[in-house]
Amino acid sequence: MTEQGNSRAVISNQTGIHDKLDALVMRYKQSESQRPVSEHTRGAFLAVEEWLDDWQGDIVLDSCCGVGQSTATIATQYPDCKVIGLDKSAMRVGKHSHYQSGAANYAVFRADVNDFWRLAQQGRWSVKKHYLLYPNPYPKRSQIQKRWYGSAAMVDLMALCPNIEVRSNWLLYLQEFAQAAKHYGLASTLNEVATDTPLTPFERKYRASGQTCWQLNTRLDEG
Ligand SMILES: C[S@@+](CC[C@H](N)C(=O)[O-])C[C@H]1O[C@@H](n2cnc3c(N)ncnc32)[C@H](O)[C@@H]1O
């Protein structure tokens, strides 16, 4: 039986790339973050480092992983890496046990990625791939600084790993992400999500509602 959903498409009062996007990205790129790291996320970072147990290999991050269904799947795709799912919602992280895979190379932690990305970056982690699946879109024009690429956190996000996969049901989010990432020397490819097996609960919900989901993949622009 085909799954049916009733999720509404993103509605925005923005009709194209935000006219302040480039200026915002450049402003954050050129300034140093003054944001103090929260005690909670510092504690979470220490817990993750303990779990990593002096791991010297590659790491895959699944930021804003929600219940961590994607983290469990991604772990099976990267058996030679340690895979870390991060989400700030205790409620969502607490539900992860329902979505566990048999893989032993991953774990899901509660943390605010605003702070976590900075700590991971300072710790010089070797991040092979970074997933950011269905981040909150904040679609109102006035909310651009809440979107990851329009926020101060973009600096750490860009410093962590050039290979980022962002998925969204709002095409403009990914077009803006690609434009922002260009300021950091990254090139992007944008495609429709092709698989029949949804990677996350949000992807399942959007597709069951007949919405198109998109994926953006960034890489160092060597051309
Ligand atoms: C739309 S949900 C997508 C969840 C999951 N990736 C999925 O596709 O099912 C966005 C997620 O981002 C998380 N989130 C938002 N801001 C965050 C932050 N600063 N740090 C960590 N997680 C955050 C929320 O708690 C929420 O689970």
Side-chain angles (χ1 to χ4, degrees):
M1 198 175 78
T2 316
E3 222 180 322
Q4 296 273 315
N6 59 357
S7 180
R8 286 195 343 193
V10 172
I11 296 171
S12 174
N13 56 351
Q14 229 187 282
T15 51
I17 302 265
H18 201 292
D19 54 353
K20 300 250 166 25
L21 176 68
D22 292 316
L24 255 180
V25 174
M26 289 312 290
R27 194 176 88 210
Y28 284 125
K29 187 169 181 247
Q30 286 156 3
S31 61
E32 206 175 315
S33 172
Q34 304 295 326
R35 184 188 157 101
V37 171
S38 76
E39 275 316 300
H40 178 271
T41 297
R42 200 176 287 284
F45 185 75
L46 291 176
V48 175
E49 288 220 305
E50 197 175 328
W51 176 77
L52 284 171
D53 194 19
D54 207 23
W55 172 252
Q56 300 296 316
D58 287 331
I59 290 171
V60 175
L61 285 179
D62 181 14
S63 287
C64 303
C65 67
V67 295
Q69 181 185 1
S70 47
T71 323
T73 304
I74 290 164
T76 63
Q77 295 165 355
Y78 291 88
D80 299 333
C81 298
K82 295 267 193 185
V83 181
I84 298 164
L86 300 167
D87 200 281
K88 72 173 182 185
S89 159
M91 199 255 295
R92 292 211 166 121
V93 169
K95 286 187 184 162
H96 177 65
S97 54
H98 302 295
Y99 296 91
Q100 271 169 351
S101 70
N105 60 329
Y106 85 94
V108 173
F109 295 85
R110 182 183 169 213
D112 183 336
V113 299
N114 276 297
D115 298 341
F116 199 99
W117 290 342
R118 180 127 45 95
L119 294 172
Q121 206 262 108
Q122 287 166 357
R124 305 204 176 283
W125 282 11
S126 172
V127 181
K128 183 178 178 134
K129 175 122 186 205
H130 194 169
Y131 288 86
L132 195 49
L133 304 172
Y134 303 94
N136 295 122
Y138 296 110
K140 286 189 195 150
R141 210 187 112 73
S142 59
Q143 292 176 317
I144 182 161
Q145 293 193 65
K146 293 187 169 205
R147 302 176 203 153
W148 287 120
Y149 48 80
S151 78
M154 182 66 168
V155 180
D156 296 314
L157 175 59
M158 292 288 104
L160 262 179
C161 169
N163 303 316
I164 307 171
E165 179 163 328
V166 196
R167 293 192 184 186
S168 182
N169 61 334
W170 191 30
L171 187 57
L172 189 55
Y173 189 99
L174 299 182
Q175 291 167 333
E176 288 192 338
F177 195 109
Q179 182 156 323
K182 251 195 215 173
H183 290 284
Y184 288 84
L186 302 190
S188 304
T189 32
L190 182 53
N191 293 298
E192 195 175 324
V193 172
T195 173
D196 283 336
T197 316
L199 187 52
T200 80
F202 275 79
E203 187 164 284
R204 178 175 304 109
K205 190 171 79 166
Y206 296 143
R207 295 189 69 173
S209 305
Q211 295 186 44
T212 305
C213 294
W214 305 92
Q215 76 177 66
L216 183 83
N217 290 84
T218 66
R219 64 187 180 284
L220 272 182
D221 188 358
E222 287 162 333

